[in-house]
Amino acid sequence: MKRKISIKLILMTVVFFKYSMVLSQKQTFKKLDRTQEKKINNLFNEWNSSTSPGASIAIIHNKDIVFQNSFGMANLEHNIPLSSTSLFNIASNSKQFTVFAILNLAKENKLSISDDIRSHIPELPNFEHKITIQNLMQHTHGIRGITPLLGMAGWNIEDVMTRESILDMLSNQKELDFKPGSGFSYNNSGYMLLAEIIERVSGSTFHDYLRMNIFEPLGMNTTVLFEDNEKVIPNVANPYYYDGTTYKRGIRNFKDIVGNTGIRTSIQDISKWVNNYESQIVGAQDIFEKMVEPAVLSNGVKLNYCYGLKNSEFEGRQVISHGGAHIGYRSQILRFPSENLAIIVLSNNGSLDADGKAYKIAEILFKANGENSIDKADSKNDLAMLNSENIDFSGFEGKFELQPGFIMEFEQREEKLFITATGQGTFPLETIGERVFKISQIGATIEFTENSQGEFDSLSFNHGGQKMNGKRVIFKLDVSQLEAYIGLYYSPELRTTYELKIENGTLIAKHTRQDKTVLTPLNNSEFSGNTWFFGSLNFQYEKEKIAGFKVSTDRAKNVLFKKINGDIIY
């Protein structure tokens, strides 16, 4: 049955730019003009408010900060605006500092990047394959990602997580996602282990090592490591995220979990680190050359990921980059060596696409005199916003499989459409067309396709120019069929138990410390979970009876849960 959507369009122009559609002729950046400055400021107009968290940005040319500005608030509770000295968690941009520390220790002959990591952390399991320090730095180690493991084990985002508990959990794993060197999986486990190695080899705490070898020599006097959830940090920008209605505080209680994240720095301080790649006040040429060597898999495939940095191209020129995302923090650092140019975006707004903003600044800078460049692109005021009056999203509701085991579920709540993706959480969608929506947090778009019966049975997902198609999930099992899956399931590796039961005709996985996971059948043995830590479940059989299941997400594969008989006391 065809469902009509009554939509009133506000008369505005919709402008979409892909990063690859900017230049027909390569331009060299020479000087920032007023037109470009205005266009850059316009990119952040949406967050230039006393009621919104925002961002600090800087453009560096020939080691001089030629543009710097801050938008929005550092603290919504106390009405404190962001400034050039506000401290942000740069999240995964911390990884390049960790790599520098490892390579610096290697230069001092205190370790080798070819070392087996068990020679430094012997309590780690023997996976029957050597995992090197280099594997950790390049995400080619195959160790499961700690974040989804914590979620599966019942840890909540607000729990106090310690390095000791992380090491204990990683030491209890029995399998790798892949043979070291044969694959790539970006996750935080490797960098947490690198921080542990740095401490054991150097004899200093991770914070002290960075302070003595990087922060103090470069004059990064306000930069600190947030290694203690109770630590007081002056001038820190609080993290926020938008839940579709209002901004909320982001909470993450880490205790000595570093290496993968944790550095709090300002736009002024991080500029000194960025300039150090050229000035080399700390470090040496061979270290920085190593950091941009691409990872090469055992089958010869070369990646654009290197050592805590990405080495790729943007509009025909080399760009060295890395992004970061952690609760409400976002960051992106781009360096264009041939132009002696760098772009930095630091944000305390989880809804702000720092990656997209940084590249759009690059678009503007590489246009001759700003001609034909973006004018306030990607802000809410420049998209064709839809009147929410009388909108019916029910035709889009349901579940779509984007790839095996990866489900996008859409649900209308009042006057918004929400998406819940396998292992990714729930986000509100921004309406930009009759059947086109945007996930603002990552800058991706979704377009639904209508079949001849007037039903939306497929969609296309576009992120960064990469397009994937998905089909509506139509496989179903009735209650009598679902009863075969009911029971208690225990994971020896995570030391935790789930109960599978039926609620309102749906199979769910229930844990005492987590939100229930709704399980969607894809076939008789494979189900998809709707929580960020439960991706796909594959049921295992022995003598035609269910013996357990294996859970997989994109960063942790085949975690075994065995079916147990009888009751269990939590």
Side-chain angles (χ1 to χ4, degrees):
M1 178 179 176
K2 186 171 181 178
R3 290 184 168 125
K4 299 287 187 180
I5 301 176
S6 173
I7 300 175
K8 191 191 302 180
L9 291 177
I10 296 176
L11 218 66
M12 302 183 82
T13 303
V14 181
V15 184
F16 288 102
F17 283 89
K18 292 182 181 178
Y19 301 150
S20 58
M21 297 174 62
V22 184
L23 296 172
S24 58
Q25 186 174 9
K26 183 176 176 180
Q27 300 287 346
T28 301
F29 175 74
K30 295 180 180 178
K31 185 180 180 181
L32 191 69
D33 60 40
R34 290 184 178 180
T35 300
Q36 291 170 316
E37 289 183 6
K38 180 180 178 181
K39 291 178 182 294
I40 292 168
N41 285 327
N42 284 342
L43 290 174
F44 296 87
N45 270 351
E46 179 184 342
W47 297 279
N48 194 20
S49 164
S50 61
T51 60
S52 169
S56 288
I57 63 174
I59 299 170
I60 304 171
H61 187 228
N62 292 330
K63 294 190 287 189
D64 292 327
I65 298 177
V66 296
F67 182 86
Q68 182 175 285
N69 208 349
S70 296
F71 310 86
M73 308 302 289
N75 187 299
L76 293 177
E77 294 94 322
H78 299 290
N79 201 34
I80 302 172
L82 287 167
S83 71
S84 61
T85 58
S86 298
L87 299 182
F88 300 82
N89 180 1
I90 58 173
S92 286
N93 265 302
S94 303
K95 289 180 169 71
Q96 57 195 281
F97 292 85
T98 304
V99 166
F100 176 89
I102 286 286
L103 295 179
N104 198 49
L105 288 169
K107 192 173 181 65
E108 297 172 347
N109 295 317
K110 294 182 179 179
L111 57 77
S112 170
I113 65 172
S114 63
D115 287 348
D116 187 327
I117 61 173
R118 295 185 71 246
S119 66
H120 300 286
I121 312 178
E123 62 266 38
L124 290 174
N126 182 1
F127 292 111
E128 299 182 355
H129 298 288
K130 177 182 177 181
I131 301 173
T132 67
I133 291 175
Q134 177 174 332
N135 291 144
L136 297 184
M137 291 190 286
Q138 296 187 320
H139 301 289
T140 60
H141 46 77
I143 298 172
R144 292 166 174 161
I146 190 61
T147 306
L149 291 179
L150 287 166
M152 290 180 205
W155 292 70
N156 291 302
I157 205 79
E158 297 86 4
D159 289 339
V160 177
M161 302 176 190
T162 67
R163 192 190 307 188
E164 182 180 1
S165 62
I166 297 298
L167 283 173
D168 179 64
M169 185 171 290
L170 292 179
S171 298
N172 201 42
Q173 299 304 298
K174 307 301 181 186
E175 295 183 17
L176 296 172
D177 281 352
F178 52 81
K179 182 180 177 181
S182 68
F184 174 88
S185 177
Y186 183 93
N187 71 57
N188 290 321
S189 297
Y191 275 78
M192 293 179 184
L193 294 174
L194 287 171
E196 181 71 16
I197 291 172
I198 289 167
E199 291 198 350
R200 295 189 185 191
V201 170
S202 70
S204 301
T205 65
F206 187 70
H207 179 267
D208 283 345
Y209 189 88
L210 296 187
R211 177 179 56 80
M212 292 183 295
N213 290 277
I214 301 176
F215 301 156
E216 287 183 354
L218 292 181
M220 298 171 67
N221 297 322
T222 61
T223 299
V224 296
L225 192 70
F226 186 68
E227 79 282 20
D228 185 346
N229 62 305
E230 297 177 333
K231 187 173 185 175
V232 175
I233 302 178
N235 213 27
V236 70
N238 289 329
Y240 299 91
Y241 67 94
Y242 192 70
D243 70 351
T245 304
T246 186
Y247 282 106
K248 293 185 176 180
R249 282 283 300 273
I251 300 173
R252 183 62 62 89
N253 291 323
F254 279 179
K255 198 85 170 178
D256 208 25
I257 297 176
V258 291
N260 60 303
T261 186
I263 293 178
R264 263 63 166 178
T265 190
S266 67
I267 204 76
Q268 285 187 351
D269 271 13
I270 196 64
S271 297
K272 297 174 183 177
W273 166 253
V274 170
N275 279 336
N276 186 66
Y277 282 105
E278 300 299 327
S279 61
Q280 296 177 14
I281 295 173
V282 299
Q285 183 67 26
D286 56 346
I287 288 179
F288 298 120
E289 288 177 353
K290 189 69 176 177
M291 290 178 72
V292 295
E293 284 184 10
V296 180
L297 300 182
S298 55
N299 62 3
V301 172
K302 182 185 290 188
L303 308 178
N304 66 10
Y305 201 91
C306 305
Y307 292 80
L309 293 168
K310 295 178 182 178
N311 187 346
S312 56
E313 284 193 358
F314 176 75
E315 299 305 330
R317 47 175 62 81
Q318 182 189 29
V319 56
I320 309 299
S321 65
H322 210 287
H326 188 97
I327 47 175
Y329 290 110
R330 301 289 184 269
S331 67
Q332 179 58 257
I333 301 174
L334 308 178
R335 290 190 294 118
F336 298 90
S338 64
E339 309 281 348
N340 295 317
L341 179 74
I343 298 166
I344 307 169
V345 177
L346 307 181
S347 175
N348 64 331
N349 186 335
S351 302
L352 192 150
D353 179 11
D355 295 2
K357 296 302 182 187
Y359 279 102
K360 283 171 181 173
I361 292 172
E363 277 186 22
I364 293 171
L365 297 182
F366 295 140
K367 290 286 188 178
N369 299 318
E371 293 176 0
N372 301 317
S373 58
I374 301 167
D375 186 7
K376 298 187 291 182
D378 201 33
S379 73
K380 289 182 180 176
N381 293 332
D382 283 350
L383 296 170
M385 298 300 294
L386 301 180
N387 192 323
S388 62
E389 189 177 330
N390 298 321
I391 294 181
D392 177 15
F393 292 125
S394 59
F396 305 126
E397 289 188 305
K399 299 175 182 180
F400 294 75
E401 186 176 26
L402 198 64
Q403 59 186 19
F406 188 87
I407 303 296
M408 289 181 167
E409 181 176 4
F410 300 89
E411 177 187 10
Q412 180 169 350
R413 302 180 189 174
E414 297 178 349
E415 296 174 341
K416 274 186 174 291
L417 189 66
F418 283 74
I419 180 173
T420 302
T422 300
Q424 305 300 317
T426 301
F427 302 99
L429 293 175
E430 186 176 307
T431 310
I432 59 177
E434 285 195 9
R435 59 190 65 181
V436 185
F437 300 85
K438 180 178 180 181
I439 309 174
S440 298
Q441 287 80 357
I442 61 173
T445 59
I446 295 169
E447 182 172 3
F448 290 88
T449 302
E450 193 173 14
N451 62 22
S452 58
Q453 286 76 44
E455 299 170 336
F456 295 103
D457 64 346
S458 61
L459 59 78
S460 63
F461 175 76
N462 195 323
H463 184 217
Q466 292 186 333
K467 191 173 182 180
M468 301 177 68
N469 297 317
K471 289 287 187 181
R472 185 181 288 274
V473 176
I474 57 175
F475 183 84
K476 292 183 179 180
L477 293 173
D478 60 34
V479 172
S480 62
Q481 292 171 307
L482 291 176
E483 288 176 351
Y485 305 93
I486 292 174
L488 297 171
Y489 296 80
Y490 176 74
S491 169
E493 293 171 287
L494 301 179
R495 302 165 185 155
T496 198
T497 301
Y498 279 82
E499 180 183 7
L500 267 57
K501 60 190 300 186
I502 297 173
E503 285 188 2
N504 301 319
T506 301
L507 187 68
I508 66 165
K510 188 175 182 181
H511 192 283
T512 55
R513 301 197 70 250
Q514 286 288 19
D515 294 333
K516 64 183 179 183
T517 298
V518 176
L519 302 177
T520 300
L522 304 178
N523 53 53
N524 286 320
S525 60
E526 185 178 6
F527 285 67
S528 174
N530 71 331
T531 48
W532 63 269
F533 50 87
F534 256 39
S536 61
L537 279 73
N538 281 279
F539 283 88
Q540 311 295 301
Y541 292 83
E542 291 180 4
K543 297 181 180 180
E544 299 183 353
K545 291 185 178 181
I546 294 176
F549 59 77
K550 290 186 177 181
V551 178
S552 294
T553 70
D554 59 341
R555 299 181 185 183
K557 310 291 185 186
N558 299 319
V559 180
L560 178 63
F561 285 78
K562 297 179 179 180
K563 190 171 185 179
I564 57 179
N565 297 314
D567 296 329
I568 186 168
I569 299 175
Y570 292 97

